[in-house]
Amino acid sequence: MTTPRPHAIELRDVTKTFGSVVANDRVSLAVRRGEILALLGENGSGKTTLMNMLSGIYYPDSGHILVDGREVTIRAPKDAFALGIGMIHQHFKLVDVLTAAENIVLGLSGGVRLDRKALAGRIREISAKYGFALEPDKKVYRMSVCEKQTVEIVKVLYRGADILILDEPTAVLTPQETDRLFAILRAMRADGKAIVIITHKLHEVLSVSDRVTILRKGRYIETVETARADVQSLTDGMVGRPMRLAISRVEAETKPLCGVRGLTVRHKDGHSVLEGVSFDLCGGEILGVAGVAGSGQQALCEALAGLEPGAQGRIVVGGVNIAGMNPGQILAAGVRIGFVPEDRLGVGLVGSLNIAENLLVRGYRKQRGIFLRRGPAKAQAGELIRWLAVNATGPGQRVSKLSGGNVQKVLLGRELMEAPQMIIAAYPVRGLDISASYTVYDLLQAQKAKGVGVLFVGEDLDVLLELCDRIMVLCGGRVSGIVDARTATKEEIGLMMTHAHRRTEAAP
C-alpha cells in the first residue's frame, strides 16, 4: 500500500486580523501538486490576505502553514521563495527601464557581474518548456500587459518556485491572451506545479481549475470539484444565498445626444494619448468602451467630463460644443453630465468627508446666498442610503470608512440624483463583488430606459456584450472599430483590442 503524497501547501486554522477587522477567521485549505486551485469569494472575503501570508507579505496571527507536510514559518518574501512559493500580483512589480532579464534577476545574490548570455539561455529554456513568448533583452516599458505578466511568471520560475499564486491574472488580458495564459498554466500543472488563482471570473474558474475553494466574510465555506460546479452554484456559495445572474438588456427609444469628432489629447511631451477619436452616443443607449489597459480610456472620460483642458476636437452634447470647457462651464451651459471616475476616492469622492458633505460638494452651486445649508444635503444623503441600500450608519458616516461597493453606490447615486443627460462610468464595477456589480448594472439600465446616454468603460468582455448596445474598441489611443454588442464575439473584440482586426462603425 502506497503512502499518499503530502499536499504541496496546507493551511490549518489560519487567522489574520487588522485591528478590529478579522480578514481570515480560522481558514483551512490544501493545494495538491499537479492541480490548479481557484480561490473564490466576494470582496472582503480574505482571498488576497490569505495568499499574502503564503507569500510572506503578512504574518498570520495564529494557525499553521505546511509545505510538503512539514510545518514552516514564513515571515518575509525571501522565506516564501526559499520554500518554492512565488506570487504574481495583480499590479506588477517591475522596473520599466530595465530589460526582462534584468528584472528577472533583480535582487538576487551573485555579485555585481551579470552573465547575460547564460541568463538569456536559462530564460529561453524556461520559456520553451512552458510555451512563453519572451524576449530577454526587451525593455519593460516597451512591453504589452501580457508580456509584463509573462516576465513576472518567468521571474518566480527562474527563482525555483514550484508553487505559484496568481492574483486576478486575467484582469487586463484580451481573450486570446487569456487562452494563452491558461495553456501555460495547464503545461505547468502537467509538470507537477501547484497553482492557485484568485479570480472573480466564474467562466474562467470553470475553464481552467481542478477544484474551487470558496471563502465568505473571511471564513472557509467549502472546496468543490470544478467538474461538479457551475456558475450558479459557485455564486450562491460566495454570496450565501440564491442570486439571479442575468443582465437583461433593456430596449429603449434612442435619440441623438452626443457627437465626438477628432478628439485628440496629448501629453506635455507631445505624445498622443488619444488621436482623432470620433463616435456618437445616443440617449437611450449604453455604449461600451473596451481596450487593453492604457489605450486612452482615462483620457477619453476626462475629456468628455471637462477635466482635460488640452483636449482638441469637437464634443457636442445636446447641441452644445463643450470642448475646452471645465465642469463648471459645462454645467453653466445647461449640459448635465454625470461622471463616475475610475479613481473613486481620489477624483470621485472626498474620503475625509461624510456622505452628506460629498453630496454638498457636487450640488453647492445650486444654493443661494453666502452660507451653505447642510440640511438639504443631509436629507438627500438619507434618501440615497435608503434608495441604494448603502451599508452606512447614516449621512454623517465618513466615506473612507465605507466598503468599496458602498463607496461606489454613493458615488453613482450622487451623480444620478443630478438627473444627468449623459453618464460616463469608468470601470464602475472594478473591485466590486457580484451583488454590488449587479446593482450597478441595474442602475445604468434604468438610466438608459429614461433616455440617458451611458458611456460604460469596462474590462469584462462578457459583461460588455450583455449590457451594452454597441462597443467601441480603443487601441493605442485610436478607435479600431465600433460593433453591435448583439452580434459581436469576444474573440473579434479581442483582435480589435490588439489592432489585428478593424471593423467599421455599427449604426446607433
Side-chain angles (χ1 to χ4, degrees):
M1 184 175 178
T2 59
T3 304
R5 191 175 183 182
H7 291 106
I9 289 285
E10 188 175 358
L11 305 181
R12 296 178 183 172
D13 297 324
V14 171
T15 296
K16 180 64 181 177
T17 61
F18 298 95
S20 60
V21 177
V22 182
N24 295 123
D25 187 4
R26 293 170 295 173
V27 175
S28 298
L29 63 83
V31 188
R32 302 165 182 155
R33 294 198 179 277
E35 82 160 345
I36 300 173
L37 177 76
L39 192 56
L40 206 56
E42 292 188 283
N43 298 114
S45 61
K47 307 183 298 296
T48 300
T49 298
L50 193 66
M51 293 300 101
N52 279 339
M53 284 187 278
L54 277 180
S55 63
I57 294 175
Y58 296 145
Y59 185 73
D61 298 333
S62 62
H64 308 275
I65 299 175
L66 288 79
V67 176
D68 292 325
R70 177 175 60 89
E71 186 164 358
V72 298
T73 298
I74 304 175
R75 294 185 178 275
K78 64 180 181 64
D79 297 332
F81 273 122
L83 294 166
I85 301 171
M87 184 166 179
I88 296 90
H89 297 270
Q90 183 176 359
H91 303 290
F92 306 138
K93 301 179 183 299
L94 301 172
V95 180
D96 283 354
V97 296
L98 298 183
T99 65
E102 289 166 343
N103 269 280
I104 286 167
V105 297
L106 188 64
L108 292 179
S109 59
V112 295
R113 294 182 61 84
L114 184 63
D115 187 340
R116 294 182 181 274
K117 185 176 180 180
L119 173 58
R122 176 60 180 148
I123 291 171
R124 292 192 177 96
E125 181 185 334
I126 294 172
S127 298
K129 183 175 184 178
Y130 298 112
F132 294 113
L134 181 62
E135 300 175 40
D137 296 327
K138 189 173 184 178
K139 299 280 189 180
V140 168
Y141 69 80
R142 295 179 51 236
M143 293 182 180
S144 67
V145 173
C146 184
E147 288 175 306
K148 292 177 183 178
Q149 185 181 68
T150 299
V151 174
E152 289 282 22
I153 296 174
V154 174
K155 182 166 70 175
V156 299
L157 292 174
Y158 182 90
R159 297 169 188 226
D162 56 8
I163 300 167
L164 286 85
I165 304 164
L166 295 93
D167 190 1
E168 299 286 358
T170 67
V172 291
L173 301 185
T174 67
Q176 290 81 5
E177 290 169 339
T178 296
D179 290 341
R180 286 197 292 271
L181 173 63
F182 285 176
I184 289 167
L185 294 182
R186 293 184 184 107
M188 290 194 290
R189 175 180 62 188
D191 192 42
K193 306 292 186 188
I195 301 168
V196 181
I197 60 169
I198 304 171
T199 181
H200 68 281
K201 298 181 180 181
L202 299 181
H203 292 291
E204 294 179 357
V205 168
L206 295 172
S207 170
V208 75
S209 69
D210 300 294
R211 294 188 302 145
V212 185
T213 292
I214 298 174
L215 302 183
R216 188 192 312 144
K217 296 180 179 178
R219 293 188 174 185
Y220 171 86
I221 300 302
E222 62 177 340
T223 298
V224 298
E225 300 289 334
T226 306
R228 299 181 181 179
D230 56 30
V231 169
Q232 190 64 56
S233 66
L234 294 177
T235 302
D236 294 349
M238 281 194 297
V239 178
R241 55 180 170 79
M243 184 175 172
R244 177 177 168 273
L245 285 176
I247 301 175
S248 300
R249 188 186 286 108
V250 172
E251 298 301 330
E253 183 178 348
T254 61
K255 57 186 178 183
L257 174 64
C258 174
V260 177
R261 297 292 180 270
L263 181 60
T264 298
V265 176
R266 292 188 175 90
H267 282 158
K268 292 180 180 179
D269 61 3
H271 170 68
S272 292
V273 185
L274 284 181
E275 186 68 44
V277 169
S278 298
F279 65 93
D280 293 306
L281 170 63
C282 290
E285 81 159 339
I286 299 178
L287 175 64
V289 179
V292 297
S295 294
Q297 298 94 323
Q298 181 178 347
L300 173 64
C301 293
E302 292 183 350
L304 294 176
L307 298 176
E308 186 58 70
Q312 300 173 353
R314 286 178 60 83
I315 306 171
V316 179
V317 181
V320 180
N321 183 13
I322 63 171
M325 293 185 182
N326 62 39
Q329 292 168 331
I330 292 173
L331 187 60
V335 178
R336 303 185 309 280
I337 297 177
F339 182 33
V340 181
E342 179 181 354
D343 187 355
R344 296 165 197 162
L345 288 178
V347 177
L349 299 173
V350 182
S352 59
L353 300 181
N354 62 41
I355 298 174
E357 289 167 340
N358 270 282
L359 267 61
L360 196 58
V361 167
R362 182 71 162 84
Y364 74 92
R365 291 185 180 90
K366 297 178 182 178
Q367 296 195 16
R368 296 181 179 180
I370 60 173
F371 297 105
L372 287 177
R373 291 178 289 114
R374 298 175 181 270
K378 187 175 181 180
Q380 192 178 36
E383 181 184 342
L384 186 153
I385 290 169
R386 291 187 293 273
W387 173 36
L388 298 182
V390 177
N391 186 9
T393 56
Q397 180 162 356
R398 186 179 297 178
V399 166
S400 62
K401 299 297 183 182
L402 299 175
S403 69
N406 287 297
V407 167
Q408 190 70 322
K409 286 181 182 180
V410 171
L411 176 55
L412 184 55
R414 183 190 70 179
E415 298 302 298
L416 297 184
M417 287 179 123
E418 297 295 318
Q421 298 165 271
M422 183 170 81
I423 297 169
I424 304 163
Y427 305 105
V429 299
R430 177 181 282 173
L432 302 190
D433 57 41
I434 289 178
S435 298
S437 295
Y438 277 82
T439 297
V440 171
Y441 302 148
D442 290 343
L443 287 170
L444 295 178
Q445 294 249 55
Q447 292 300 304
K448 170 189 170 182
K450 292 179 180 179
V452 176
V454 180
L455 188 80
F456 180 93
V457 183
E459 54 199 358
D460 190 324
L461 295 186
D462 289 307
V463 169
L464 285 168
L465 289 168
E466 288 185 60
L467 178 70
C468 302
D469 299 287
R470 294 181 300 141
I471 299 172
M472 177 171 67
V473 183
L474 293 178
C475 180
R478 298 175 181 267
V479 176
S480 58
I482 300 179
V483 299
D484 188 330
R486 296 168 179 81
T487 58
T489 65
K490 286 199 300 182
E491 290 70 25
E492 179 184 12
I493 294 172
L495 289 172
M496 294 167 67
M497 289 166 66
T498 55
H499 248 167
H501 178 67
R502 185 175 181 87
R503 185 161 145 184
T504 55
E505 180 168 354

